[in-house]
Amino acid sequence: MAFSRDPLDELVVPDGTEAKEVDLVTDGDVLVGGRSTVEFGVRGRNVLAGEGVEFGGAIEAEADCRLDMWCEVAENVLVGQDAYIGERVHVAGEMKVAGDLDIGDDVEIEEGFEANGWIVIRNPMPTIVFLFVYLKHLLLIGEEQTAQRLVSELVDEDEGEEIDVDPLVIPKNATVSDDAWRVSTPATIGDDCRLHGNVRAETIDVGTDTTIFGSLRARGDVSVGEGTRIHGDLTTRDGDVTIAAGARVLGDVSCAALELGPDAEIDGTIRADGEITMGTTDREPE
């Protein structure tokens, strides 16, 4: 992780992420920036949410769960290891924690909670705030190697085993629902994903063999990977569009310049202010 950029300045949907009915399911961690609304439930390894995040479903974390103050969870919270819950968090269901539970003041859990380990009730500093303050202190005193090890332990390792799965990152002030994914940042969607909802972002980069049941709209460039299916329109305000080989857009495309790979398909109308470039399939040698 580079210290020069905010880890929550981009929507990142890792490879293999699926929207299954009411849940977002990923093999890696889930990181949600402050004041975002996620109308799905989430299932992942570690689940970390900033201040004032709203979840429209349940949270299932295989490892730890960290919810900062003022978070709202519409259903249950199930945690495989430890949970850290900030003050004034509201959980409409029950909370079950396999390990320790560190819980702040004025937390409301409507259907009760249980933990197999220690239960500590206090008013902790918000988890994400604490981590950034601690990292900043290490960098100020010149302990860059120590800071890098801390980030690796938090993001890349679990009980000594290295994790090579990228996290699902939802930036602050985002809205994620079955209707739309709205962010004011760039968006990167990985390979082999299956998502529902229109994607609205600064720029959009979609990987290979992904299916999106919704339209794509961006201010800047949009790229669609090989074999991907977009069930909706693709529109940019000022950017170019690249549609790779074998990809298909089941709707209209509006952009500045358009580049189409071999066997790419557009089922609707093309509106391009600039050049339209069409790739060809290489001939096999005779």
Side-chain angles (χ1 to χ4, degrees), residues 73-112:
V73 184
E75 297 181 20
N76 300 328
V77 177
L78 307 177
V79 184
Q81 295 183 16
D82 300 331
Y84 306 84
I85 310 300
E87 64 178 345
R88 296 180 175 84
V89 168
H90 174 243
V91 178
E94 63 179 348
M95 178 178 293
K96 293 186 177 181
V97 181
D100 299 336
L101 172 61
D102 191 333
I103 190 168
D105 294 337
D106 298 324
V107 171
E108 181 181 4
I109 304 173
E110 292 188 9
E111 298 183 14

mmCIF file of all heavy atoms in Angstrom, residues 73-112:
data_model
loop_
_atom_site.group_PDB
_atom_site.id
_atom_site.type_symbol
_atom_site.label_atom_id
_atom_site.label_comp_id
_atom_site.label_asym_id
_atom_site.label_seq_id
_atom_site.Cartn_x
_atom_site.Cartn_y
_atom_site.Cartn_z
ATOM 1 N N VAL A 73 -26.692 -1.034 11.210
ATOM 2 C CA VAL A 73 -26.764 -2.337 10.555
ATOM 3 C C VAL A 73 -28.207 -2.835 10.668
ATOM 4 O O VAL A 73 -28.738 -2.967 11.768
ATOM 5 C CB VAL A 73 -25.803 -3.361 11.194
ATOM 6 C CG1 VAL A 73 -25.846 -4.684 10.423
ATOM 7 C CG2 VAL A 73 -24.379 -2.812 11.236
ATOM 8 N N ALA A 74 -28.834 -3.132 9.525
ATOM 9 C CA ALA A 74 -30.263 -3.441 9.508
ATOM 10 C C ALA A 74 -30.569 -4.854 9.985
ATOM 11 O O ALA A 74 -31.713 -5.145 10.362
ATOM 12 C CB ALA A 74 -30.825 -3.248 8.095
ATOM 13 N N GLU A 75 -29.560 -5.750 9.985
ATOM 14 C CA GLU A 75 -29.811 -7.134 10.395
ATOM 15 C C GLU A 75 -28.712 -7.589 11.357
ATOM 16 O O GLU A 75 -28.171 -6.780 12.094
ATOM 17 C CB GLU A 75 -29.920 -8.026 9.162
ATOM 18 C CG GLU A 75 -31.087 -7.669 8.234
ATOM 19 C CD GLU A 75 -31.182 -8.589 7.042
ATOM 20 O OE1 GLU A 75 -30.619 -9.698 7.092
ATOM 21 O OE2 GLU A 75 -31.809 -8.190 6.035
ATOM 22 N N ASN A 76 -28.388 -8.877 11.337
ATOM 23 C CA ASN A 76 -27.448 -9.440 12.298
ATOM 24 C C ASN A 76 -25.995 -9.117 11.952
ATOM 25 O O ASN A 76 -25.666 -8.803 10.801
ATOM 26 C CB ASN A 76 -27.605 -10.968 12.356
ATOM 27 C CG ASN A 76 -28.996 -11.387 12.770
ATOM 28 O OD1 ASN A 76 -29.666 -10.700 13.535
ATOM 29 N ND2 ASN A 76 -29.439 -12.534 12.274
ATOM 30 N N VAL A 77 -25.122 -9.240 12.969
ATOM 31 C CA VAL A 77 -23.676 -9.137 12.790
ATOM 32 C C VAL A 77 -23.053 -10.414 13.335
ATOM 33 O O VAL A 77 -23.164 -10.707 14.531
ATOM 34 C CB VAL A 77 -23.090 -7.905 13.519
ATOM 35 C CG1 VAL A 77 -21.566 -7.880 13.358
ATOM 36 C CG2 VAL A 77 -23.701 -6.615 12.988
ATOM 37 N N LEU A 78 -22.411 -11.188 12.460
ATOM 38 C CA LEU A 78 -21.785 -12.453 12.836
ATOM 39 C C LEU A 78 -20.290 -12.340 12.577
ATOM 40 O O LEU A 78 -19.874 -12.029 11.453
ATOM 41 C CB LEU A 78 -22.375 -13.610 12.032
ATOM 42 C CG LEU A 78 -23.905 -13.751 12.059
ATOM 43 C CD1 LEU A 78 -24.354 -14.900 11.167
ATOM 44 C CD2 LEU A 78 -24.400 -13.948 13.488
ATOM 45 N N VAL A 79 -19.479 -12.601 13.605
ATOM 46 C CA VAL A 79 -18.040 -12.349 13.527
ATOM 47 C C VAL A 79 -17.283 -13.611 13.919
ATOM 48 O O VAL A 79 -17.522 -14.183 14.988
ATOM 49 C CB VAL A 79 -17.634 -11.174 14.452
ATOM 50 C CG1 VAL A 79 -16.151 -10.863 14.284
ATOM 51 C CG2 VAL A 79 -18.485 -9.945 14.161
ATOM 52 N N GLY A 80 -16.341 -14.027 13.054
ATOM 53 C CA GLY A 80 -15.588 -15.248 13.306
ATOM 54 C C GLY A 80 -14.477 -15.100 14.312
ATOM 55 O O GLY A 80 -14.061 -16.089 14.924
ATOM 56 N N GLN A 81 -13.971 -13.873 14.519
ATOM 57 C CA GLN A 81 -12.916 -13.652 15.503
ATOM 58 C C GLN A 81 -13.332 -12.518 16.448
ATOM 59 O O GLN A 81 -14.250 -12.702 17.239
ATOM 60 C CB GLN A 81 -11.580 -13.376 14.798
ATOM 61 C CG GLN A 81 -11.066 -14.574 14.004
ATOM 62 C CD GLN A 81 -9.725 -14.345 13.362
ATOM 63 O OE1 GLN A 81 -8.983 -13.410 13.697
ATOM 64 N NE2 GLN A 81 -9.365 -15.191 12.397
ATOM 65 N N ASP A 82 -12.681 -11.361 16.386
ATOM 66 C CA ASP A 82 -12.951 -10.281 17.336
ATOM 67 C C ASP A 82 -13.771 -9.168 16.685
ATOM 68 O O ASP A 82 -13.720 -8.964 15.473
ATOM 69 C CB ASP A 82 -11.635 -9.690 17.856
ATOM 70 C CG ASP A 82 -10.770 -10.717 18.565
ATOM 71 O OD1 ASP A 82 -11.344 -11.670 19.135
ATOM 72 O OD2 ASP A 82 -9.536 -10.580 18.536
ATOM 73 N N ALA A 83 -14.505 -8.426 17.520
ATOM 74 C CA ALA A 83 -15.314 -7.303 17.043
ATOM 75 C C ALA A 83 -14.973 -6.054 17.839
ATOM 76 O O ALA A 83 -14.780 -6.116 19.053
ATOM 77 C CB ALA A 83 -16.799 -7.622 17.166
ATOM 78 N N TYR A 84 -14.922 -4.911 17.142
ATOM 79 C CA TYR A 84 -14.641 -3.603 17.746
ATOM 80 C C TYR A 84 -15.766 -2.671 17.309
ATOM 81 O O TYR A 84 -15.849 -2.306 16.139
ATOM 82 C CB TYR A 84 -13.282 -3.088 17.284
ATOM 83 C CG TYR A 84 -12.152 -4.058 17.532
ATOM 84 C CD1 TYR A 84 -11.887 -5.080 16.625
ATOM 85 C CD2 TYR A 84 -11.378 -3.977 18.688
ATOM 86 C CE1 TYR A 84 -10.870 -5.994 16.851
ATOM 87 C CE2 TYR A 84 -10.358 -4.878 18.921
ATOM 88 C CZ TYR A 84 -10.103 -5.890 18.000
ATOM 89 O OH TYR A 84 -9.097 -6.792 18.228
ATOM 90 N N ILE A 85 -16.616 -2.289 18.225
ATOM 91 C CA ILE A 85 -17.833 -1.550 17.910
ATOM 92 C C ILE A 85 -17.766 -0.180 18.584
ATOM 93 O O ILE A 85 -17.679 -0.074 19.814
ATOM 94 C CB ILE A 85 -19.097 -2.308 18.390
ATOM 95 C CG1 ILE A 85 -19.061 -3.764 17.905
ATOM 96 C CG2 ILE A 85 -20.346 -1.592 17.909
ATOM 97 C CD1 ILE A 85 -19.023 -3.933 16.413
ATOM 98 N N GLY A 86 -17.809 0.906 17.768
ATOM 99 C CA GLY A 86 -17.718 2.256 18.290
ATOM 100 C C GLY A 86 -19.008 2.718 18.939
ATOM 101 O O GLY A 86 -20.054 2.060 18.857
ATOM 102 N N GLU A 87 -18.963 3.881 19.573
ATOM 103 C CA GLU A 87 -20.115 4.388 20.303
ATOM 104 C C GLU A 87 -21.282 4.725 19.371
ATOM 105 O O GLU A 87 -21.111 5.072 18.215
ATOM 106 C CB GLU A 87 -19.723 5.617 21.129
ATOM 107 C CG GLU A 87 -19.286 6.801 20.298
ATOM 108 C CD GLU A 87 -18.959 8.001 21.161
ATOM 109 O OE1 GLU A 87 -19.334 8.010 22.345
ATOM 110 O OE2 GLU A 87 -18.322 8.940 20.644
ATOM 111 N N ARG A 88 -22.490 4.553 19.919
ATOM 112 C CA ARG A 88 -23.752 4.881 19.246
ATOM 113 C C ARG A 88 -24.000 4.089 17.955
ATOM 114 O O ARG A 88 -24.732 4.520 17.081
ATOM 115 C CB ARG A 88 -23.848 6.381 18.975
ATOM 116 C CG ARG A 88 -23.884 7.216 20.245
ATOM 117 C CD ARG A 88 -23.978 8.700 19.949
ATOM 118 N NE ARG A 88 -24.137 9.468 21.180
ATOM 119 C CZ ARG A 88 -23.132 9.856 21.952
ATOM 120 N NH1 ARG A 88 -21.888 9.559 21.611
ATOM 121 N NH2 ARG A 88 -23.340 10.538 23.061
ATOM 122 N N VAL A 89 -23.385 2.924 17.855
ATOM 123 C CA VAL A 89 -23.702 2.014 16.753
ATOM 124 C C VAL A 89 -25.046 1.362 17.034
ATOM 125 O O VAL A 89 -25.374 1.028 18.174
ATOM 126 C CB VAL A 89 -22.601 0.942 16.591
ATOM 127 C CG1 VAL A 89 -23.055 -0.177 15.661
ATOM 128 C CG2 VAL A 89 -21.317 1.577 16.062
ATOM 129 N N HIS A 90 -25.844 1.175 15.991
ATOM 130 C CA HIS A 90 -27.154 0.545 16.136
ATOM 131 C C HIS A 90 -27.214 -0.699 15.261
ATOM 132 O O HIS A 90 -26.971 -0.640 14.049
ATOM 133 C CB HIS A 90 -28.277 1.509 15.734
ATOM 134 C CG HIS A 90 -29.628 0.870 15.722
ATOM 135 N ND1 HIS A 90 -30.375 0.746 14.583
ATOM 136 C CD2 HIS A 90 -30.365 0.314 16.723
ATOM 137 C CE1 HIS A 90 -31.525 0.143 14.875
ATOM 138 N NE2 HIS A 90 -31.534 -0.133 16.163
ATOM 139 N N VAL A 91 -27.542 -1.844 15.876
ATOM 140 C CA VAL A 91 -27.701 -3.116 15.165
ATOM 141 C C VAL A 91 -29.139 -3.574 15.373
ATOM 142 O O VAL A 91 -29.556 -3.825 16.508
ATOM 143 C CB VAL A 91 -26.713 -4.180 15.680
ATOM 144 C CG1 VAL A 91 -26.938 -5.512 14.959
ATOM 145 C CG2 VAL A 91 -25.267 -3.712 15.502
ATOM 146 N N ALA A 92 -29.903 -3.704 14.282
ATOM 147 C CA ALA A 92 -31.316 -4.053 14.403
ATOM 148 C C ALA A 92 -31.535 -5.526 14.739
ATOM 149 O O ALA A 92 -32.597 -5.898 15.234
ATOM 150 C CB ALA A 92 -32.049 -3.705 13.107
ATOM 151 N N GLY A 93 -30.546 -6.369 14.481
ATOM 152 C CA GLY A 93 -30.655 -7.784 14.802
ATOM 153 C C GLY A 93 -29.837 -8.153 16.024
ATOM 154 O O GLY A 93 -29.746 -7.390 16.988
ATOM 155 N N GLU A 94 -29.195 -9.317 15.975
ATOM 156 C CA GLU A 94 -28.343 -9.771 17.069
ATOM 157 C C GLU A 94 -26.887 -9.739 16.642
ATOM 158 O O GLU A 94 -26.571 -9.644 15.461
ATOM 159 C CB GLU A 94 -28.732 -11.193 17.487
ATOM 160 C CG GLU A 94 -28.536 -12.238 16.403
ATOM 161 C CD GLU A 94 -28.904 -13.633 16.861
ATOM 162 O OE1 GLU A 94 -29.099 -13.822 18.082
ATOM 163 O OE2 GLU A 94 -28.992 -14.531 16.015
ATOM 164 N N MET A 95 -25.985 -9.826 17.631
ATOM 165 C CA MET A 95 -24.551 -9.858 17.352
ATOM 166 C C MET A 95 -23.952 -11.086 18.022
ATOM 167 O O MET A 95 -24.135 -11.290 19.228
ATOM 168 C CB MET A 95 -23.863 -8.585 17.855
ATOM 169 C CG MET A 95 -22.355 -8.587 17.629
ATOM 170 S SD MET A 95 -21.558 -7.053 18.187
ATOM 171 C CE MET A 95 -22.237 -5.896 17.008
ATOM 172 N N LYS A 96 -23.238 -11.897 17.231
ATOM 173 C CA LYS A 96 -22.542 -13.061 17.755
ATOM 174 C C LYS A 96 -21.073 -12.961 17.385
ATOM 175 O O LYS A 96 -20.736 -12.795 16.214
ATOM 176 C CB LYS A 96 -23.140 -14.349 17.194
ATOM 177 C CG LYS A 96 -24.563 -14.622 17.674
ATOM 178 C CD LYS A 96 -25.060 -15.977 17.198
ATOM 179 C CE LYS A 96 -26.453 -16.277 17.742
ATOM 180 N NZ LYS A 96 -26.936 -17.603 17.294
ATOM 181 N N VAL A 97 -20.205 -13.057 18.402
ATOM 182 C CA VAL A 97 -18.769 -12.876 18.215
ATOM 183 C C VAL A 97 -18.056 -14.103 18.759
ATOM 184 O O VAL A 97 -18.232 -14.459 19.931
ATOM 185 C CB VAL A 97 -18.280 -11.598 18.931
ATOM 186 C CG1 VAL A 97 -16.783 -11.415 18.705
ATOM 187 C CG2 VAL A 97 -19.051 -10.377 18.447
ATOM 188 N N ALA A 98 -17.252 -14.745 17.914
ATOM 189 C CA ALA A 98 -16.544 -15.951 18.348
ATOM 190 C C ALA A 98 -15.385 -15.629 19.280
ATOM 191 O O ALA A 98 -14.991 -16.466 20.105
ATOM 192 C CB ALA A 98 -16.042 -16.726 17.133
ATOM 193 N N GLY A 99 -14.832 -14.417 19.179
ATOM 194 C CA GLY A 99 -13.705 -14.029 20.019
ATOM 195 C C GLY A 99 -14.080 -12.958 21.018
ATOM 196 O O GLY A 99 -15.108 -13.038 21.682
ATOM 197 N N ASP A 100 -13.238 -11.904 21.114
ATOM 198 C CA ASP A 100 -13.457 -10.809 22.061
ATOM 199 C C ASP A 100 -14.344 -9.726 21.446
ATOM 200 O O ASP A 100 -14.347 -9.516 20.232
ATOM 201 C CB ASP A 100 -12.117 -10.190 22.467
ATOM 202 C CG ASP A 100 -11.203 -11.185 23.160
ATOM 203 O OD1 ASP A 100 -11.724 -12.160 23.724
ATOM 204 O OD2 ASP A 100 -9.970 -10.978 23.116
ATOM 205 N N LEU A 101 -15.054 -9.020 22.319
ATOM 206 C CA LEU A 101 -15.920 -7.917 21.889
ATOM 207 C C LEU A 101 -15.523 -6.659 22.641
ATOM 208 O O LEU A 101 -15.594 -6.605 23.867
ATOM 209 C CB LEU A 101 -17.391 -8.252 22.156
ATOM 210 C CG LEU A 101 -18.404 -7.119 21.923
ATOM 211 C CD1 LEU A 101 -18.371 -6.661 20.477
ATOM 212 C CD2 LEU A 101 -19.813 -7.572 22.312
ATOM 213 N N ASP A 102 -15.090 -5.642 21.900
ATOM 214 C CA ASP A 102 -14.752 -4.328 22.449
ATOM 215 C C ASP A 102 -15.849 -3.380 21.980
ATOM 216 O O ASP A 102 -15.964 -3.116 20.779
ATOM 217 C CB ASP A 102 -13.380 -3.892 21.928
ATOM 218 C CG ASP A 102 -12.845 -2.678 22.666
ATOM 219 O OD1 ASP A 102 -13.666 -1.889 23.178
ATOM 220 O OD2 ASP A 102 -11.618 -2.510 22.718
ATOM 221 N N ILE A 103 -16.630 -2.859 22.902
ATOM 222 C CA ILE A 103 -17.848 -2.139 22.531
ATOM 223 C C ILE A 103 -17.899 -0.782 23.211
ATOM 224 O O ILE A 103 -17.538 -0.640 24.387
ATOM 225 C CB ILE A 103 -19.096 -2.999 22.889
ATOM 226 C CG1 ILE A 103 -20.370 -2.409 22.297
ATOM 227 C CG2 ILE A 103 -19.213 -3.227 24.369
ATOM 228 C CD1 ILE A 103 -21.549 -3.360 22.373
ATOM 229 N N GLY A 104 -18.314 0.256 22.469
ATOM 230 C CA GLY A 104 -18.343 1.614 22.982
ATOM 231 C C GLY A 104 -19.627 1.949 23.720
ATOM 232 O O GLY A 104 -20.516 1.104 23.905
ATOM 233 N N ASP A 105 -19.742 3.204 24.130
ATOM 234 C CA ASP A 105 -20.909 3.670 24.874
ATOM 235 C C ASP A 105 -22.125 3.809 23.959
ATOM 236 O O ASP A 105 -22.008 4.059 22.757
ATOM 237 C CB ASP A 105 -20.621 5.029 25.518
ATOM 238 C CG ASP A 105 -19.560 4.932 26.595
ATOM 239 O OD1 ASP A 105 -19.385 3.828 27.133
ATOM 240 O OD2 ASP A 105 -18.907 5.957 26.885
ATOM 241 N N ASP A 106 -23.310 3.670 24.561
ATOM 242 C CA ASP A 106 -24.588 3.924 23.888
ATOM 243 C C ASP A 106 -24.777 3.094 22.628
ATOM 244 O O ASP A 106 -25.410 3.532 21.663
ATOM 245 C CB ASP A 106 -24.724 5.409 23.539
ATOM 246 C CG ASP A 106 -24.720 6.293 24.771
ATOM 247 O OD1 ASP A 106 -25.280 5.855 25.793
ATOM 248 O OD2 ASP A 106 -24.153 7.394 24.715
ATOM 249 N N VAL A 107 -24.241 1.883 22.612
ATOM 250 C CA VAL A 107 -24.468 0.970 21.493
ATOM 251 C C VAL A 107 -25.782 0.230 21.718
ATOM 252 O O VAL A 107 -26.052 -0.261 22.814
ATOM 253 C CB VAL A 107 -23.311 -0.038 21.353
ATOM 254 C CG1 VAL A 107 -23.642 -1.118 20.325
ATOM 255 C CG2 VAL A 107 -22.024 0.683 20.975
ATOM 256 N N GLU A 108 -26.608 0.152 20.674
ATOM 257 C CA GLU A 108 -27.891 -0.530 20.777
ATOM 258 C C GLU A 108 -27.902 -1.752 19.869
ATOM 259 O O GLU A 108 -27.746 -1.640 18.649
ATOM 260 C CB GLU A 108 -29.040 0.396 20.391
ATOM 261 C CG GLU A 108 -30.410 -0.265 20.510
ATOM 262 C CD GLU A 108 -31.544 0.647 20.093
ATOM 263 O OE1 GLU A 108 -31.269 1.777 19.635
ATOM 264 O OE2 GLU A 108 -32.706 0.232 20.218
ATOM 265 N N ILE A 109 -28.080 -2.922 20.467
ATOM 266 C CA ILE A 109 -28.184 -4.183 19.726
ATOM 267 C C ILE A 109 -29.541 -4.775 20.103
ATOM 268 O O ILE A 109 -29.727 -5.300 21.202
ATOM 269 C CB ILE A 109 -27.037 -5.146 20.077
ATOM 270 C CG1 ILE A 109 -25.684 -4.461 19.815
ATOM 271 C CG2 ILE A 109 -27.149 -6.430 19.253
ATOM 272 C CD1 ILE A 109 -24.488 -5.261 20.292
ATOM 273 N N GLU A 110 -30.505 -4.653 19.207
ATOM 274 C CA GLU A 110 -31.895 -4.884 19.558
ATOM 275 C C GLU A 110 -32.179 -6.314 20.025
ATOM 276 O O GLU A 110 -33.007 -6.532 20.911
ATOM 277 C CB GLU A 110 -32.799 -4.536 18.368
ATOM 278 C CG GLU A 110 -32.829 -3.048 18.038
ATOM 279 C CD GLU A 110 -33.862 -2.705 16.994
ATOM 280 O OE1 GLU A 110 -34.686 -3.590 16.644
ATOM 281 O OE2 GLU A 110 -33.859 -1.555 16.507
ATOM 282 N N GLU A 111 -31.522 -7.306 19.435
ATOM 283 C CA GLU A 111 -31.812 -8.691 19.784
ATOM 284 C C GLU A 111 -30.721 -9.327 20.632
ATOM 285 O O GLU A 111 -30.639 -10.550 20.737
ATOM 286 C CB GLU A 111 -32.061 -9.507 18.514
ATOM 287 C CG GLU A 111 -33.277 -9.018 17.721
ATOM 288 C CD GLU A 111 -33.566 -9.879 16.510
ATOM 289 O OE1 GLU A 111 -33.003 -11.003 16.420
ATOM 290 O OE2 GLU A 111 -34.356 -9.449 15.650
ATOM 291 N N GLY A 112 -29.880 -8.502 21.240
ATOM 292 C CA GLY A 112 -28.878 -8.998 22.181
ATOM 293 C C GLY A 112 -27.587 -9.422 21.508
ATOM 294 O O GLY A 112 -27.485 -9.489 20.288
#
